[in-house]
Amino acid sequence: MTKKPEPELAAMLEEDGAFPPSPAFKEGARVSDPGIYERAARDPEAFWEGFAKELEWISPWSKVLEWTPPFARWFVGGKINISANCLDRHLRTPHRNKAAIVWEGEPGDQRTLTYFDLHRRVCQFANVLKSLGVKKGGRVALYLPLVPELAIAMLACARIGAVHSVVFGGFSAEALRDRI
């Protein structure tokens, strides 16, 4: 049963202000069709359901949206693996050999991982995690700098259903303890 929001919260749910993007931002936008906003406003559920159908679902949803302000549940009953959608679906297309991660480090180090490379490394690390006893619902703290291995570890956790928390590798032991 969903309870009604507190009066203070209910008042915050009402927003009638407009926050238009700057002209420079609009010029660089990947989506330039102004009709997209009208289509989204006319039928938001159908709009987002169309994009959701582009993804691979383990189990389809039974209802697109359950909305009882301030609580929203999208794609109710659906089951999805974000790691598979980030990687696996590209392996069956020409994208398999396209860059998935382009990384450049401080002293000019550069690395490019294709979807195929990234998938292989994510699966390897997922198997390492499983060999260490990490299972679906298990908790993993990732203490790494901003390197490709951080994305690999996050996707590996998502692949096996492990909850993960990312802590930047430059933090002290005390800061690490507080975050974990």
Side-chain angles (χ1 to χ4, degrees):
M1 177 182 280
T2 307
K3 65 179 188 174
K4 292 192 173 214
E6 300 294 324
E8 300 84 17
L9 183 57
M12 294 176 68
L13 292 172
E14 297 177 21
E15 175 61 64
D16 58 4
F19 307 94
S22 69
F25 185 83
K26 281 173 137 181
E27 189 176 308
R30 294 180 65 101
V31 176
S32 57
D33 174 13
I36 197 167
Y37 299 105
E38 183 184 316
R39 289 191 301 277
R42 187 173 48 244
D43 191 350
E45 289 183 42
F47 179 79
W48 289 112
E49 184 176 31
F51 284 109
K53 286 180 178 176
E54 295 177 13
L55 301 173
E56 293 181 0
W57 291 79
I58 298 166
S59 303
W61 57 89
S62 57
K63 187 173 184 183
V64 174
L65 174 64
E66 280 183 4
W67 173 244
T68 308
F71 306 102
R73 291 181 60 213
W74 286 91
F75 306 107
V76 179
K79 189 174 178 183
I80 194 167
N81 185 301
I82 194 65
S83 180
N85 274 281
C86 287
L87 301 173
D88 300 38
R89 67 192 188 114
H90 298 291
L91 299 180
R92 296 181 295 276
T93 72
H95 286 126
R96 104 185 247 121
N97 296 316
K98 301 267 184 190
I101 293 180
V102 177
W103 177 83
E104 186 169 337
E106 287 292 325
D109 297 340
Q110 295 181 342
R111 289 174 52 200
T112 301
L113 297 173
T114 65
Y115 283 98
F116 179 78
D117 297 330
L118 186 57
H119 177 265
R120 188 179 70 246
R121 292 180 186 184
V122 166
C123 289
Q124 286 173 336
F125 193 66
N127 286 325
V128 167
L129 291 171
K130 289 194 292 187
S131 76
L132 294 171
V134 178
K135 299 176 186 157
K136 180 178 180 179
R139 295 171 294 185
V140 177
L142 302 173
Y143 182 62
L144 289 164
L146 298 176
V147 294
E149 287 72 20
L150 178 58
I152 291 166
M154 290 169 31
L155 287 165
C157 287
R159 180 165 290 273
I160 63 174
V163 177
H164 58 279
S165 174
V166 177
V167 181
F168 177 62
F171 285 136
S172 67
E174 293 78 21
L176 178 60
R177 180 199 62 219
D178 293 344
R179 284 160 176 81
I180 293 177

